[in-house]
Structure formats: structure tokens, C-alpha cells
Amino acid sequence: MATTTRTTRPKKSTTIKAAAPAHGAGLRDQLDRDLLALLQAHARASTADLARQLGTARTTVLARLSRLEREGVIAGYTVRLGQDVRDQGLQAFVGVTVQPKAGRDVVRKLERMPEVRQLCAVSGEFDYVVLLRAESALRMNTLLDEMGNFDGVVKTTTSVALEWKIDRT
């Protein structure tokens, strides 16, 4: 991965973020985990096919799916784009360091950028990690400049994704 660091203002202090509680409180056993793994790979699989792969009854799969949806473990079913579609642009992980108490305003500005695919508050070197998608290197550079100029942003560090080895999103 290619990595670039942009410093826009001198860093005054380090903000430590607590990790969010892990989802999965509704997972009861290995069957739930196996069911979710199958769905992540093939969200359109029929319940009969899922039951066959799991070695259990179709009614068991239906009951598990219903419970996992009700408890919020499964929030929805979606389409994942293949590598060819992802290759039509550029994706990068951007570590963002912000000044103390500036996080809320920075998050609001990032929410207004359609190229922001994901935003995570993290612990460690950065306050946030952004998954950013742009149609070209020129557009990516423009977006990074915009982000770096947000009030409260101290530094951005960018790693361009070259190839997706595992993708369970």
C-alpha cells in the first residue's frame, strides 16, 4: 500500500477514543456465526440452501434469521460489488487526527461527502479512519485536500487500497 501523510496544523494533544462495544451480543452459538458467514458471502442464498450447507432444518434457519433480524444482528441484506466495479475507481483508507473537541464538527462535514463510504472512530494513532472512494487519483487528491482543510483536522494519513484480499462487508 502506498502511504502519504499530510500535516495541516501542529498537533497540540492526543485524543484517545474508547472502542465501541462489539456487535454480536445476539450471537448464541457456532450455528449463528456459521449462518452469518454464509450470508455475508451469499446474501441471496435460499433458506433451503443455507440449511443444507449448515446441516440443519430449514425451519431452524428461518427461526435463526428471524431472531437475528429482530435483535439487530442482521440489519439488512445488500449487494456487494465485484472487483471489476471496484477497480473503476480508487479507494483509500484515511487516518484522520483531529483537535480535541473538534470531532463532532469534522464528522458532520465528512457526512456531507458522498465519497466517504465508511467512517469509524478508532483508538490508536488516529481519531477516525475513513474509507474514501473516488473515480480518479485527481479527485482523490482534491478530496484529501478538502478533508485536510476542515477546521479541527490536524493530520490525515492515506493508504490507497491496491487489492481486496478478503471482503466480508
Side-chain angles (χ1 to χ4, degrees):
M1 284 191 196
T3 300
T4 59
T5 299
R6 297 170 185 232
T7 302
T8 55
R9 292 184 181 91
K11 190 171 179 179
K12 292 183 179 176
S13 67
T14 301
T15 303
I16 303 294
K17 302 269 183 201
H23 287 159
L27 298 180
R28 294 194 179 151
D29 58 18
Q30 189 60 45
L31 183 60
D32 282 354
R33 286 185 285 281
D34 292 344
L35 176 57
L36 288 178
L38 288 173
L39 286 172
Q40 286 176 310
H42 305 285
R44 292 186 57 172
S46 69
T47 53
D49 187 42
L50 292 168
R52 195 171 23 261
Q53 291 183 60
L54 293 169
T56 190
R58 191 179 69 80
T59 54
T60 300
V61 171
L62 285 170
R64 297 285 180 124
L65 288 173
S66 178
R67 180 180 52 78
L68 292 169
E69 289 170 356
R70 187 176 58 253
E71 293 177 356
V73 175
I74 296 176
Y77 301 84
T78 188
V79 173
R80 284 187 3 232
L81 299 178
Q83 186 68 37
D84 290 344
V85 174
R86 283 194 300 244
D87 285 344
Q88 293 177 3
L90 202 57
Q91 293 191 71
F93 295 94
V94 183
V96 180
T97 304
V98 298
Q99 294 173 340
K101 300 184 183 180
R104 192 172 294 165
D105 291 335
V106 171
V107 168
R108 277 192 216 114
K109 290 174 184 172
L110 290 170
E111 285 175 336
R112 289 185 282 228
M113 296 176 74
E115 296 89 352
V116 171
R117 308 303 299 163
Q118 293 180 337
L119 172 64
C120 301
V122 297
S123 64
E125 181 180 352
F126 311 111
D127 298 302
Y128 300 100
V129 173
V130 178
L131 176 58
L132 193 61
R133 185 180 189 296
E135 65 273 5
S136 67
L138 181 61
R139 180 65 181 147
M140 180 69 71
N141 190 52
T142 301
L143 293 167
L144 293 169
D145 284 344
E146 287 176 22
M147 288 173 57
N149 287 322
F150 288 168
D151 286 337
V153 171
V154 175
K155 176 177 81 169
T156 63
T157 301
T158 305
S159 295
V160 174
L162 301 176
E163 180 183 2
W164 297 92
K165 299 289 189 177
I166 298 173
D167 183 6
R168 293 187 179 127
T169 59

